[in-house]
Every structure is written in C-alpha cells, then in structure tokens.
Amino acid sequence: MDLKHLKDKYAIVGVGYTPQGKVPGRSALSFHVEACANAIKDAGVNKNDIDGLILYRDFKPLKGDISASVFKVAEQLGIRPFTLSQEADCTRTWLTHAIGLLEAKFCKYILVSYGDNGRSGGRKSVNELEGDTPTGEEAAFGDLSTLSKFGMLARRAMYEEGTGPEIWKKIAVAQRKWANLNPRASFYEKIMTYDDYLNSDYIVEPFRLFDATPVTDGGRAIIITSSERAKELANPLVFIKGIGSSNTSLTPNQLLHDDVISGAKIASEMAFKMAGIDRKDVDACQIYDCFTYTVEATLRDYGFFKPGESKAWFEQNDIGPGGNFPVNTSGGLLSEAYFMGLTQVSEAVMQLMGRCGDRQLGVHPKTKAPEIILCSDNGGVFQSHNTLILGRG
Amino acid sequence: MNSNIYPFSPLIYEDVKSFWNGCGQHLLKYEKCSSCGHIRWPASLICPKCHSRAYTLVESKGKGVIYSYVVFRKVFHPFLEEKVPYVVATVTLNEGPIILTNIVNCDIDKVYCGQDVEVKWHDLDDVSLPIFQPIIAE
C-alpha cells in the first residue's frame, strides 16, 4: 500500500488533559467531555468547527453510571458534527477513519477521545466479572482477564526467544523513572526498583503485578486537521508522517507467536514506507504498554531487534530518562495512566511541541530534542494494531 | 469444592454445538472441510480457507502438546479460591486444532511449552470439559 501522498498532509494540533489517577465523584462521560473541551481550547479552534467526533470503545458502564456514548459527548460539548463514531469491541479504527474523513473532505477537524472512571468506580481487571456470572469457553476453564491472554503469548515468547522477567523488569522500572518526572503520572511519587518488581506478586504467571497496567480515572483527547489549517493555529506544528494498520483478528487462544509478530510488523512497515524514514531516524518511541511484554514485542516487531535478541538489545540500550533510546516518556500506561493509545499519541505530540517540563527530551540531561517520534496503539490481544509516526513541522 | 457447583460453563451457541455434544460423550469432535481438508476451529458456517460449507466430523485421539500456558496465582472469583494455583493452557492436538484447556494432575512448576499431554474429562452437570494431563513416560 503506497500512502506517500498522505505524508505531512495532516497534523495533530491540540491535546486535552483532565485530572487523572483517582478522581472520585465523576461519570465516565464527564472525563470525555472535559478532555474534549480542553483539546478544543488547546488547539485554539472554534468548537462549532469540530465536524468529526471519534471515541475509543466504551467499557460497560459501572454501577450508577451511564454509557459514555458518542451522542452524549457531542450533546454535552454542544456540537453537531458531520460524523460521529465509536470503536466497537477493541479495534483500533480511529486513526485510519480520521485520515480518511479528512482526505475525502468530509471533515476539517476531528476530535478523538478516551474517558473512563474505572479506578473510582471499581472497574475490575477482569471484565468477565463485571456483569452476571461469566459464561463461555474461557470462563469454563477459569481463563479470566486480559492478563492471561497476553500472559499466554508472553510465556510462548519465553519459550521461543528466551525472554522473561529479567527483560520486563527493565521496561517496568524505566517507565517508572519517566513517571517520576511527570507530575500528572499516577506513580509520580512512587519509586520502583528491580527488587520491587521482582518481589511483586505473580497475578497470572508469568506476569507479576508490575507487569500490568492499573485502571485509571480520567480522559484524554486530541484534534487532527490538515497541515494547512494547522499552520493557522498557535501550537507548534506536529505532522503525521506515517500511518499503518493491521488486524490479525484471531481469537486470543488461537494466536500463535508468529501471528503476534505479523500485525505490528505489517503496520510499522507501512508507516515507515509512507514516512520515507528508517528506524535509525526515530528519536523516541511511545509504545502501547498494556503489559511490559507488549513493549518488548512491539519494539521487536518494529524491527529494532530480531526475535531472540531482546536480551542483548536491552543490555545495549537504555529506554529510561537520559538513555539513548527513550520509550514511553510519560510513564506510559504502566506508570502514567491508561487512556488506551491516546496516552502514547498525546505524549508524542507534547514532546514534539516541547511542552513536557522536566521530562522534555532535549531539556532532560543527556537527551536530544526529538524530530521524529514513533507510536503504537494495540487493540484486543494483539488483534488490532496502529502505527503512527509523528514529526516536528 | 464440589466441582458440580462450579458456576462457569461454556456458552454452547449454535456453531459449537457439535463440539460440545461430542464432549458430552467424552469425544473431541471437529468439523473438517470436505473441500480443502482444513479443520474449522473455532467452528464456523463456512471454511475460512476456501468458503465451502461442506464438512465431516472427525475425532481427535486426544493427544497433543502444550502450546502455551499461564498459572493463575490470584483469585479472580470466589469460586476459584480452592482452585488456585491452576494452569490455563492451549494445547495443540495432534490432529491440528489448538484448544483452550486446563492442565491437571501435574507439578505446576514443571509444566512447559512442548510438553506431551492427553485428554481426560471433567464432568459438570450438563457438560464435560476436556482437560489435559501430562503423559508420563513408561
């Protein structure tokens, strides 16, 4: 697929934050609305010019809350967009849909949002348990939670490639160090050492507590428009240089090790080709990190190292603050907050805009101001994958 | 815990009835495409390889190898309290399909990918679950 005609044609022009972490007394809807309103303000666009609204999936509403539907979000923002959509199940369609809508000139400004009140609302890490007694093949075997689905693939990677906790601890601790520089991060004030990681309990072995992303309250939103319109706005320019997408789609317990590799590999090759750049041109990565292993798997599948070479790669490269290969500079899903792929994308945008405070690349000691940042967004269990390459305009 | 009050059971929707009916007789039955020979697992109306509808039911001998596994250490539901730690695994049957299962009658710390296992049956009130145990070399 040749996407070169789209290179640098579109831009991300605003980011909306909300209070995050543990924020009681709020509906999931209110986090969407606040994130969206703040993104509109940050971009400096008129709300009535937002003609596309795309939400990440809505989780099942928690007790006493309503569904955060895209109708409700539009209603509360007081907008009447040309198009509304919300990702079904856990696919990652927002990126290609947004670009398609802009390219076809259906829309001029697309708002993309995620919001949830799962931390205060007591959302379980086991979504099978949120409704009635779980039924289904998976429940019958006690295979509850996303932990076990990713854990199964991580275990196979240990067998195929010799990875394991000695590598995952480096990911967890490096991201925690980034979070320690980010006042918004859930774990801003909490240090984690390798011993803390190794001493944390196994939840679903091979995953320990610190291999998994905690549930958060809060929301995050971004605005995408054409690069031409972006030039009329106040924020520093951040262009979309490359996009790629691939959907493996197989039921998690049918996924083989090689299927895991294929989704991210196809999507990233598409994005690199569109951007006309190579891996060596990437200054930082924001990698979807629902689990530590997801980071390792994605970097491998993006071609930064070959299968079986992760141990050597993590010995030669430092992904933490001051390291040569910065990854997940906000703390990521693991240590900043869980806004699905918008945790990654918003951080990349803010880094390229130079708005990241103490953790800003180029400001933090021994780091370089970034020109190119590579992001990934993963849906389901390695079933849906987006790659996004952003560059300073 | 009395296994018969285990509250979780497979959802037996139309497409997978032939499989679970087979389990009721302690048989692992799969749909094999009559046109291209592909085993349809998960079961489906048409063959994902060639889109033929025709199939025959074939029977697995119930032996395979562990593709991957996890060990549940945390209790996610009160009914699982007496079960932890337990092994959830995928097993590649010698006939091809990969199925989700539990590994039982084993030393949990010695389960491994590639381990040879054989089916045994866990009977619930209205369905039997195919679970697996290591094959002990004689």
Side-chain angles (χ1 to χ4, degrees), chain A residues 125-126 129 133-145 147-157 159-160 202-206 251-258, chain B residues 6-11 20 41-42 66-74 76-77 80 83 86-90 97-102 108-109 112-114 124 129-131:
Chain A
S125 57
V126 183
L129 298 182
T133 302
T135 62
E137 185 197 359
E138 290 162 356
F141 294 105
D143 178 23
L144 304 174
S145 86
L147 274 154
S148 60
K149 281 62 165 184
F150 278 91
M152 201 92 83
L153 292 160
R155 171 70 75 183
R156 184 69 191 187
Y159 171 76
E160 298 257 1
Y202 279 121
I203 307 295
V204 178
E205 194 181 338
T251 301
N253 62 46
Q254 298 298 305
L255 278 170
L256 301 182
H257 185 64
D258 286 347
Chain B
Y6 186 68
F8 311 140
S9 57
L11 183 69
W20 289 107
W41 183 252
I66 294 175
Y67 183 73
S68 196
Y69 69 98
V70 291
V71 181
F72 276 75
R73 301 275 180 190
K74 184 181 152 81
F76 284 121
H77 190 281
L80 296 167
K83 205 176 167 185
Y86 62 94
V87 179
V88 171
T90 47
I98 295 184
I99 65 169
L100 185 69
T101 189
N102 298 124
I108 276 181
D109 295 323
Y112 59 93
C113 295
L124 301 176
L129 300 177
I131 56 177

Side-chain angles (χ1 to χ4, degrees), chain B residues 19-73:
Chain B
F19 176 76
W20 289 107
N21 286 343
C23 289
Q25 304 158 46
H26 290 190
L27 297 172
L28 288 166
K29 285 185 173 176
Y30 295 93
E31 295 174 1
K32 183 175 184 175
C33 180
S34 303
S35 175
C36 75
H38 178 67
I39 290 187
R40 295 180 199 169
W41 183 252
S44 59
L45 177 72
I46 59 169
C47 172
K49 297 284 183 199
C50 74
H51 285 202
S52 165
R53 286 195 177 210
Y55 67 89
T56 52
L57 281 179
V58 294
E59 203 180 301
S60 162
K61 292 194 169 67
K63 291 192 174 165
V65 294
I66 294 175
Y67 183 73
S68 196
Y69 69 98
V70 291
V71 181
F72 276 75
R73 301 275 180 190

Side-chain angles (χ1 to χ4, degrees), chain A residues 3 11 35 53 137 205 229-230 240 248 251 259 261 295 306 375 391:
Chain A
L3 302 171
L53 176 61
E137 185 197 359
E205 194 181 338
R229 283 186 287 269
I240 293 176
T248 312
T251 301
D259 296 319
I261 291 176
V295 177
K306 292 193 174 70
C375 308

Side-chain angles (χ1 to χ4, degrees), chain A residues 321-333:
Chain A
N324 63 314
F325 194 97
V327 174
N328 291 345
T329 53
S330 75
L333 305 176

Side-chain angles (χ1 to χ4, degrees), chain A residues 285-330:
Chain A
C285 291
Q286 311 293 346
I287 301 294
Y288 195 83
D289 58 323
C290 47
F291 299 98
T292 48
Y293 169 64
T294 321
V295 177
E296 179 197 349
T298 307
L299 291 172
R300 174 197 66 206
D301 303 342
Y302 279 9
F304 289 103
F305 50 85
K306 292 193 174 70
E309 292 180 359
S310 67
K311 186 164 181 278
W313 191 86
F314 276 92
E315 275 164 13
Q316 289 154 14
N317 293 277
D318 180 357
I319 64 171
N324 63 314
F325 194 97
V327 174
N328 291 345
T329 53
S330 75

Side-chain angles (χ1 to χ4, degrees), chain A residues 1 243-244 263-275 279 301-302 387:
Chain A
M1 196 183 294
I243 60 174
K265 187 167 187 285
I266 291 166
S268 63
E269 282 171 0
M270 210 180 281
F272 278 121
K273 192 175 161 199
M274 171 175 155
R279 285 145 195 85
D301 303 342
Y302 279 9
T387 305

Side-chain angles (χ1 to χ4, degrees), chain A residues 334-383:
Chain A
L334 288 168
S335 277
E336 190 220 330
Y338 181 71
F339 304 122
M340 294 197 169
L342 293 184
T343 300
Q344 270 73 27
V345 174
S346 60
E347 176 67 8
V349 171
M350 294 296 275
Q351 284 285 354
L352 290 165
M353 287 182 176
R355 299 165 68 190
C356 285
D358 291 343
R359 68 181 191 282
Q360 177 64 48
L361 297 171
V363 171
H364 188 79
K366 297 196 285 181
T367 60
K368 162 183 175 289
E371 295 294 326
I372 302 276
I373 298 185
L374 173 61
C375 308
S376 75
D377 190 358
N378 179 87
V381 181
F382 292 113
Q383 289 158 294

